[in-house]
Amino acid sequence: LTEKSTGVTFAPKLHERSYLVGVGVRKKSFINIYAVAMYASPKVIQTISAFSKAEQQNDARIALRDAARTFHSPSEITSFILSMVYKADAKTIAAAISDSVKSRYTGPVANIEKLESLISQGVQGKGGYATKGTTLQFDCSAPGVTVSVDGNDQGEVLCDTIGGAFFD
């Protein structure tokens, strides 16, 4: 599936049991910062299959959000892949993502600070800039969120509610 405004194409399958649910774009003014894709289990996708596109769009969105952020076991994962289309330095991209999560997160600020630090460290490790094609991956599960940059694991924020903040 290709995100139309950026031209970024995402694979239909991420992990053994994670399938592409949808794609979007994060903009600032008229600039496309990154394309984003959400991957989830077949159970999450099945949740929305009963909704018609036009008539029940809001109900489908709520059902998808609730299903994707409800982890019935530690092995269930919903992943967000961000593919950069505009260059940003480590501090800027880390702050933008952590601020977005922070606005929907009610837990300790230390967890948001750790998330920001993991993103920043990962981008610093590739020269200090997230350039076009840089991929940031956030694997949300019951224990927390695992962060990787270009396939390199940066660490995990352990908190059972932080993953849900990525969905709202």
Side-chain angles (χ1 to χ4, degrees):
L1 189 58
T2 300
E3 197 290 312
K4 292 178 187 177
S5 67
T6 62
V8 174
T9 300
F10 292 95
K13 190 174 179 182
L14 181 62
H15 302 296
E16 172 112 1
R17 296 178 312 255
S18 291
Y19 297 89
L20 184 61
V21 175
V23 298
V25 65
R26 169 77 161 104
K27 292 181 177 222
K28 182 148 182 143
S29 295
F30 60 91
I31 299 170
N32 293 327
I33 305 294
Y34 55 78
V36 62
M38 179 179 153
Y39 290 84
S41 70
K43 182 178 8 176
V44 170
I45 297 168
Q46 188 176 28
T47 300
I48 61 169
S49 65
F51 295 95
S52 66
K53 283 187 176 183
E55 297 170 5
Q56 301 168 315
Q57 188 174 13
N58 192 51
D59 292 339
R61 182 186 56 77
I62 291 167
L64 176 62
R65 182 198 67 202
D66 291 347
R69 68 188 304 211
T70 303
F71 304 108
H72 300 288
S73 75
S75 63
E76 283 187 63
I77 296 173
T78 299
S79 299
F80 291 93
I81 306 293
L82 282 59
S83 180
M84 298 297 296
V85 293
Y86 188 81
K87 182 178 176 180
D89 65 70
K91 183 178 178 180
T92 300
I93 193 66
I97 294 168
S98 64
D99 285 350
S100 177
V101 173
K102 181 166 84 174
S103 69
R104 299 177 303 271
Y105 178 64
T106 59
V109 161
N111 290 331
I112 297 297
E113 291 168 349
K114 183 169 183 180
L115 176 67
E116 185 171 347
S117 175
L118 293 173
I119 297 165
S120 183
Q121 288 171 13
V123 174
Q124 286 291 346
K126 53 179 280 84
Y129 287 91
T131 56
K132 184 174 183 170
T134 298
T135 301
L136 293 90
Q137 181 169 333
F138 302 92
D139 292 330
C140 304
S141 64
V145 175
T146 302
V147 178
S148 65
V149 176
D150 283 345
N152 297 312
D153 186 25
Q154 300 304 309
E156 185 174 35
V157 180
L158 295 174
C159 176
D160 63 352
T161 60
I162 195 164
F166 276 79
F167 300 96
D168 294 337

